[in-house]
Amino acid sequence: MKLAQIQMRVGPDKAANLRHAEALLSRAADADMAVLPEMFCCPYENKYFPEYAESEGGDTWEKCSRLAAERGIYLIAGSMPERDATGRIYNTSYVFDRNGHQIGKHRKMHLFDIDVKGGQYFKESDTLTPGDQVTVFDTEFGKMGVCICYDFRFPELARLMVDQGAEVIIVPAAFNMTTGPLHWELMFRQRAVDNQVYTLGAAPARDLNAGYHSWGHSIAVDPWGKVLMEMEEKPDVKVAELDLEEVKKVREQLPL
């Protein structure tokens, strides 16, 4: 299968972000699946999450559903702020099939609450509520799991997805300029080797004028831990070819 990763800048204009995502998707016309970055329609800052939050089935959801159907692709719609009926806000990733039907939904379980001395400070829990579900969805290629950014630091969650049959783990993520250089590639290779799966991380492009500076470097890693593709920090679209037979071969040769 061909999987396109969309690395895009995210600004304060939600409609412009959606148009930008659509334009970049058009550069991956032959892809079977596309992945948008974490908070692709909303600046990654606590003050914006309540303002940009929509209920499931809202305008941004509708546009992503339409894009998947029009292009005949699976679309992992990065993540966006979701408001539930009680007013709680989640960092949520919706998954759409080739007909635009929702076949998966992941609410970020592990909120990004960190305070690195001399580095990054952020507390998603100031505005967001954690999810509590492991998310795996079916495709004609095989089962795939999705989690969001900080979730990926927890090896137990990756293993729970694999225990449910996932052969690919997809991660919309926005690592920062402290953790990105140290841990980004390392973690995607770690999880790939530990679980003998493909791992893919789709990040926002870096914008030094924004309040949060993304590391970028969207990445694809195979079940051996080999980096198939890694972008730089700029907006870009790249397609990785995944052969899920490789998962079976690796597991036969190294029966972990």
Side-chain angles (χ1 to χ4, degrees):
M1 64 171 289
K2 293 182 177 180
L3 188 148
Q5 286 158 277
I6 312 298
Q7 183 165 289
M8 54 179 279
R9 283 203 181 95
V10 179
D13 185 331
K14 185 190 291 187
N17 292 331
L18 288 166
R19 289 193 299 271
H20 186 34
E22 183 171 10
L24 290 174
L25 276 168
S26 68
R27 290 169 50 185
D30 63 341
D32 299 294
M33 179 179 289
V35 186
L36 293 166
E38 182 178 22
M39 290 295 177
F40 76 95
C41 61
C42 170
Y44 189 73
E45 294 184 61
N46 268 314
K47 65 182 181 181
Y48 291 113
F49 299 153
E51 178 186 345
Y52 284 63
E54 300 177 18
S55 61
E56 181 177 330
D59 186 54
T60 303
W61 185 101
E62 287 278 2
K63 285 184 169 61
C64 290
S65 170
R66 176 181 56 79
L67 281 172
E70 286 178 354
R71 301 185 181 282
I73 60 171
Y74 292 92
L75 178 63
I76 291 85
S79 80
M80 62 186 82
E82 176 212 356
R83 189 188 304 275
D84 73 5
T86 67
R88 288 177 297 194
I89 301 169
Y90 299 89
N91 184 342
T92 300
S93 180
Y94 297 106
V95 181
F96 300 94
D97 68 11
R98 295 180 186 273
N99 298 309
H101 300 139
Q102 182 180 310
I103 57 170
K105 172 182 177 178
H106 181 74
R107 287 170 167 170
K108 190 174 189 176
M109 298 172 72
H110 303 90
L111 298 183
F112 185 53
D113 284 7
I114 67 159
D115 187 0
V116 178
K117 188 175 182 180
Q120 186 76 25
Y121 172 87
F122 204 98
K123 275 198 164 30
E124 276 188 326
S125 63
D126 286 347
T127 55
L128 300 179
T129 299
D132 60 4
Q133 298 296 312
V134 178
T135 306
V136 173
F137 61 94
D138 283 304
T139 72
E140 70 264 34
F141 305 103
K143 290 181 181 290
M144 305 186 186
V146 61
C147 64
I148 301 171
C149 202
Y150 201 54
D151 281 338
F152 202 49
R153 285 195 173 273
F154 297 82
E156 298 86 354
L157 177 55
R159 180 50 55 92
L160 287 168
M161 288 187 273
V162 171
D163 284 347
Q164 293 185 19
E167 296 179 314
V168 180
I169 297 176
I170 299 165
V171 192
F175 275 38
N176 58 63
M177 299 298 293
T178 303
T179 59
L182 290 171
H183 298 156
W184 177 259
E185 182 183 310
L186 174 67
M187 281 179 47
F188 279 90
R189 297 185 70 191
Q190 276 179 321
R191 299 289 172 266
V193 171
D194 288 346
N195 296 287
Q196 299 175 308
V197 293
Y198 286 95
T199 59
L200 297 110
R206 192 177 309 162
D207 181 357
L208 295 179
N209 294 316
Y212 181 93
H213 301 157
S214 169
W215 172 238
H217 287 260
S218 296
I219 193 170
V221 179
D222 78 4
W224 283 107
K226 178 184 176 184
V227 177
L228 300 175
M229 180 282 298
E230 185 169 358
M231 299 184 201
E232 297 180 347
E233 78 284 359
K234 301 179 287 294
D236 203 353
V237 178
K238 288 195 175 175
V239 177
E241 288 204 35
L242 313 185
D243 178 4
L244 269 62
E245 285 300 312
E246 277 298 308
V247 174
K248 295 176 179 63
K249 289 177 185 175
V250 170
R251 292 177 179 180
E252 285 169 0
Q253 293 171 67
L254 288 172
L256 304 182

